[in-house]
């Protein structure tokens, strides 16, 4: 069964903003961390940002630091990724995933994945 569902993707011009959402099922709370990953055409899936449910600690990839903000609403079982100052190189399918630590950047360390949502940034 799909336990994570992303939404909020779309098309935006460079410099614009989007907010992605990821709704998690109860079962995903077996893990403390939620990560955001992205995969561009012809590229490997890469880590973007992560957050812990319990404390709200965050961790960001250098490529998005200062532009993206990850947050969570525990009552709604939802994690958000606010993306500002978007660049064409941010174009990718964005995925949320559940893992054991916000410091995990490897895809294989995350056990549950959403279906992804497309983000397209035009130049």
């Amino acid at each position: 069964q799909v336990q994570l569902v992303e939404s909020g993707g779309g098309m935006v011009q460079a410099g614009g903003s989007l907010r992605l959402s990821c709704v998690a099922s109860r079962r995903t709370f077996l893990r403390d961390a939620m990560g955001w990953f992205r995969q561009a055409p012809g590229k490997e899936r890469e880590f973007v940002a992560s957050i812990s449910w319990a404390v709200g600690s965050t961790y960001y990839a250098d490529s998005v630091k200062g532009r993206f903000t990850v947050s969570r609403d525990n009552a709604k079982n939802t994690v958000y990724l606010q993306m500002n100052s978007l660049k064409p190189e941010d174009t990718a399918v964005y995925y949320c995933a559940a893992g054991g630590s916000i410091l995990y950047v490897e895809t294989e360390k995350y056990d549950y994945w959403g279906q992804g949502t497309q983000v397209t940034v035009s130049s």
Side-chain angles (χ1 to χ4, degrees), residues 48-91:
V48 175
S50 57
I51 188 168
S52 66
W53 289 110
V55 181
S57 300
T58 58
Y59 184 60
Y60 297 92
D62 289 341
S63 59
V64 305
K65 197 173 299 180
R67 299 188 298 122
F68 291 10
T69 302
V70 63
S71 61
R72 94 288 198 214
D73 186 334
N74 288 26
K76 296 181 178 179
N77 291 350
T78 302
V79 172
Y80 304 96
L81 185 67
Q82 178 67 47
M83 305 184 294
N84 298 325
S85 301
L86 283 162
K87 305 174 181 180
E89 51 262 46
D90 295 319
T91 296

Side-chain angles (χ1 to χ4, degrees), residues 3-45:
Q3 299 184 77
L4 305 172
V5 180
E6 305 96 332
S7 63
M11 185 171 62
V12 65
Q13 294 186 21
S17 298
L18 286 172
R19 189 179 77 157
L20 306 183
S21 299
C22 174
V23 179
S25 67
R26 179 179 59 86
R27 188 172 299 172
T28 63
F29 287 97
L30 294 173
R31 304 288 185 175
D32 185 54
M34 296 292 292
W36 284 98
F37 291 77
R38 66 187 182 186
Q39 188 166 22
K43 300 287 188 177
E44 295 183 0
R45 191 169 298 184

